Amino acid sequence: MCGIFVSMGEIENSQMEEVLQLLHHRGPDEGKSVVTDRVHLGHRRLSIIGLEDGIQPIHNAEKDQWIVCNGEIYNFESIKSELESKTSFLTRSDSEAALKLIESQGAKAIDQLDGMFAFFIADERNDSFIVARDPLGIKPLYYGLDQGGQYVFSSELKAIERFVHQPEEFPHGHYFTPEEGFVCYRHVQAPKSMFNEESLDRVNQSIRETMEKAVEKRLLADVEVGVLLSGGLDSSLIAAIAKRYHKGQLPLKSFCVGVEGSADVINARKVAEAIGTDHYEYIYTQEELVAAVEDVIYHLESYEPSLVRSAIPNYFVSKLASEHVKVILSGEGADELFAGYAYMERFQDTRSLNKEIIRILNTLHHVNLQRADRMSMAHSLELRVPFLDMEVVENALKIPAGLKIHKKDRMEKWLLRKSFDGVLPDEVLWRKKAEFSEGSGALDLLDAHAEESITDDELIRLQETAPVEIRSKQEAFYYRIFKKHFPGENMLQTVGKWATA
């Protein structure tokens, strides 16, 4: 996990140093920049794989192709084994596998990469470049044109806003070259074949197999990997599977935060005891929670209320985890794939349900996934999301709505629970869902503070003068902080919005 910055135009070395300092939290282990014939490449590294020789930018043997990459390529070893007879590898880094694959087979080979990534490859040999982002946008990437009309790319908005007139989010599942423009190389789509609704055992087996494979591959690292554990279904399942496949010399570590007596903390303790993790928790006060809001919004680069509310517990748990591990697994994506949201009961037929699932999966890049990336990276922690493995996603879309939608005799995510029956205690496996911010005790505290901080008159004034819609006192409170950090209006277009505030 890292931070990248690329300028195709003129940029002073001092400016690059300032930018890399802004991205320091994304990669505190190492930082480096390289000027080639056409481009200035900058990188901050959080070393996870190839600890000794993986510093970036990474070049090929001829030094006419360079890569800066943020993320992880989980199938890098199989890619390397296929290419080793044709080319030479200079490092153990998974990022080099992406460089060599594309050097060997061209941009069309990007769809072979299994992972979460955003990267830039400078192709000096052909006087060109390639930029790409993973299929769901798990890793962030922004771009824009500088005053000279040259491209600038960055992992975060705060590093790019000073250089470009209008920053844009790089589309997920796309690559870009000067010759082809934007090309969609992979997108989530409705499956051509479905499971039979009567084949429950087969469906359950497919869920278990794809999830276990997804978790196992995300344990790959040269550093210690832990798990976020809220005590809810999704994180508890990830933790239980990770415990089964964990091969480290030290026990698997789990992490939970909340206010005193919150449901998250109590239930996480039960799960940790049941599966046998080395469990850590942090109890934060109302004062700490409110004090963290400003730092959360700075790193989140958003004022969207639902996002900020859920980000604050993420902020604290990432801070706790970063004191013990460098990589963490999270339960993001389960509600989307397995119809865990209450409103989804409206979609009773498979076609309409899948259409809605695909829609919300394609919005995750600027809501849930933005929160997950920014809060973990604020504390130099890599966060991995097994539920959003593409094989898990594609398998889940093959499951008929009749097995997913909750009914009078079936609670939400019944099918997911049934697939792992016996893996967790019944009181955990069959407990009703609670939002992370609700279960951790954060929601009421934040609502109350926002109501006290914004007067009725100030809300009306902001609603009349702000260039965006302000829907509540809470949104006004967060917007005021956002504008303090990012006063220019050019960042407002990148803020993703949920339906309510």
Side-chain angles (χ1 to χ4, degrees):
M1 197 73 71
C2 308
I4 66 175
F5 183 88
V6 178
S7 174
M8 304 294 295
E10 294 292 330
I11 179 173
E12 300 292 333
N13 288 335
S14 60
Q15 291 178 304
M16 178 61 82
E17 290 174 4
E18 291 175 6
V19 164
L20 292 183
Q21 188 57 39
L22 281 174
L23 297 175
H24 184 273
H25 54 281
R26 297 192 70 90
D29 294 333
E30 296 171 319
K32 185 179 177 182
S33 65
V34 167
V35 181
T36 72
D37 291 341
R38 288 196 55 188
V39 63
H40 202 151
L41 305 164
H43 191 267
R44 290 294 327 184
R45 184 183 184 220
L46 180 66
S47 52
I48 304 295
I49 294 175
L51 303 184
E52 302 301 324
D53 60 4
I55 188 169
Q56 298 187 37
I58 294 173
H59 57 77
N60 62 358
E62 295 77 20
K63 293 189 177 181
D64 59 8
Q65 296 205 349
W66 299 74
I67 188 171
V68 284
C69 179
N70 169 32
E72 300 291 349
I73 310 297
Y74 299 122
N75 63 335
F76 80 98
E77 290 182 329
S78 63
I79 292 173
K80 288 180 72 171
S81 65
E82 291 177 9
L83 295 177
E84 278 177 334
S85 63
K86 305 172 187 176
T87 187
S88 58
F89 285 84
L90 306 179
T91 76
R92 284 196 64 252
S93 170
D94 57 306
S95 297
E96 188 183 9
L99 174 66
K100 303 304 289 188
L101 176 68
I102 294 165
E103 179 187 25
S104 173
Q105 301 180 23
K108 296 292 191 293
I110 292 172
D111 67 357
Q112 298 178 36
L113 298 175
D114 178 9
M116 52 179 189
F117 54 82
F119 63 74
F120 180 101
I121 293 177
D123 183 358
E124 304 288 296
R125 181 189 309 167
N126 299 302
D127 193 28
S128 188
F129 65 89
I130 299 171
V131 195
R133 191 179 183 194
D134 68 69
L136 291 174
I138 300 171
K139 290 293 95 194
L141 186 62
Y142 298 92
Y143 74 101
L145 297 176
D146 64 17
Q147 291 183 341
Q150 298 295 315
Y151 282 105
V152 183
F153 301 89
S154 179
S155 295
E156 293 190 8
L157 285 161
K158 62 178 64 70
I160 199 177
E161 62 163 339
R162 70 176 79 178
F163 296 100
V164 304
H165 171 67
Q166 181 57 59
E168 304 280 353
E169 186 181 11
F170 193 95
H172 56 287
H174 284 68
Y175 71 80
F176 177 89
T177 68
E179 297 80 17
E180 297 180 271
F182 285 102
V183 176
C184 179
Y185 68 88
R186 188 172 186 181
H187 64 280
V188 181
Q189 56 188 329
K192 295 179 180 179
S193 61
M194 303 291 296
F195 287 111
N196 188 315
E197 192 167 333
E198 305 302 318
S199 305
L200 182 58
D201 289 343
R202 185 182 169 207
V203 171
N204 287 336
Q205 182 180 356
S206 73
I207 293 172
R208 288 192 300 271
E209 289 177 351
T210 55
M211 279 305 304
E212 288 176 3
K213 183 179 177 181
V215 171
E216 184 179 18
K217 76 171 70 169
R218 284 163 179 79
L219 293 173
L220 177 66
D222 293 333
V223 295
E224 194 171 358
V225 179
V227 292
L228 299 186
L229 184 56
S230 70
L233 174 68
D234 309 335
S235 66
S236 297
L237 284 178
I238 297 296
I241 299 170
K243 180 65 169 62
R244 177 180 175 185
Y245 287 95
H246 176 66
K247 296 178 181 178
Q249 295 181 345
L250 299 172
L252 179 69
K253 293 181 172 66
S254 59
F255 305 93
C256 182
V257 299
V259 296
E260 187 66 51
S262 64
D264 279 0
V265 173
I266 294 170
N267 287 297
R269 289 174 189 166
K270 295 177 182 177
V271 176
E273 184 177 357
I275 66 176
T277 59
D278 182 11
H279 190 59
Y280 297 79
E281 62 183 40
Y282 182 77
I283 306 300
Y284 52 74
T285 65
Q286 180 174 358
E287 291 73 23
E288 286 178 295
L289 187 148
V290 171
V293 171
E294 184 152 331
D295 200 35
V296 165
I297 290 175
Y298 171 75
H299 284 287
L300 187 62
E301 299 182 329
S302 175
Y303 59 87
E304 210 290 326
S306 297
L307 201 57
V308 176
R309 282 201 302 265
S310 60
I312 291 177
N314 274 128
Y315 177 88
F316 280 108
V317 78
S318 294
K319 181 179 181 181
L320 171 64
S322 70
E323 296 169 0
H324 303 275
V325 298
K326 292 183 79 170
V327 180
I328 206 80
L329 305 188
S330 168
E332 297 284 351
D335 286 320
E336 288 75 13
L337 293 178
F338 293 97
Y341 297 120
Y343 82 92
M344 285 182 159
E345 66 181 352
R346 301 200 308 260
F347 303 99
Q348 291 292 322
D349 67 281
T350 302
R351 184 176 178 275
S352 64
L353 177 62
N354 273 351
K355 184 178 179 181
E356 175 62 9
I357 290 174
I358 291 170
R359 185 194 69 81
I360 57 178
L361 286 174
N362 281 317
T363 67
L364 289 180
H365 59 95
H366 65 187
V367 282
N368 300 42
L369 289 174
Q370 181 169 328
R371 173 195 67 204
D373 172 84
R374 300 300 204 285
M375 293 303 97
S376 57
M377 292 311 296
H379 300 288
S380 308
L381 180 74
E382 174 168 302
L383 184 142
R384 300 175 177 179
V385 283
F387 274 109
L388 295 178
D389 182 278
M390 289 303 291
E391 189 175 344
V392 173
V393 170
E394 291 166 357
N395 182 73
L397 288 171
K398 294 179 182 179
I399 301 171
L403 293 178
K404 283 186 181 179
I405 300 301
H406 65 275
K407 305 173 183 177
K408 289 184 179 180
D409 60 338
R410 292 181 181 178
M411 66 192 307
E412 90 283 345
K413 291 186 287 192
W414 168 85
L415 181 64
L416 183 61
R417 300 171 195 270
K418 186 70 175 175
S419 297
F420 289 94
D421 201 8
V423 172
L424 293 168
D426 284 352
E427 61 181 312
V428 175
L429 195 64
W430 298 102
R431 182 167 66 91
K432 193 171 186 252
K433 167 185 169 57
E435 290 184 8
F436 187 24
S437 56
E438 178 185 352
S440 62
L443 196 57
D444 292 341
L445 298 177
L446 292 172
D447 283 341
H449 184 74
E451 288 292 328
E452 294 172 3
S453 300
I454 301 293
T455 65
D456 292 342
D457 288 342
E458 185 172 4
L459 176 61
I460 293 172
R461 185 168 63 253
L462 271 175
Q463 288 175 330
E464 292 175 345
T465 60
V468 292
E469 181 185 9
I470 303 297
R471 298 165 291 177
S472 65
K473 283 190 175 181
Q474 194 165 129
E475 189 161 38
F477 176 56
Y478 299 146
Y479 176 78
R480 189 172 65 182
I481 297 172
F482 178 85
K483 293 296 290 182
K484 174 183 174 182
H485 291 302
F486 310 110
E489 292 187 10
N490 61 351
M491 287 181 64
L492 293 175
Q493 293 183 31
T494 65
V495 176
K497 289 294 189 79
W498 278 341
T500 61

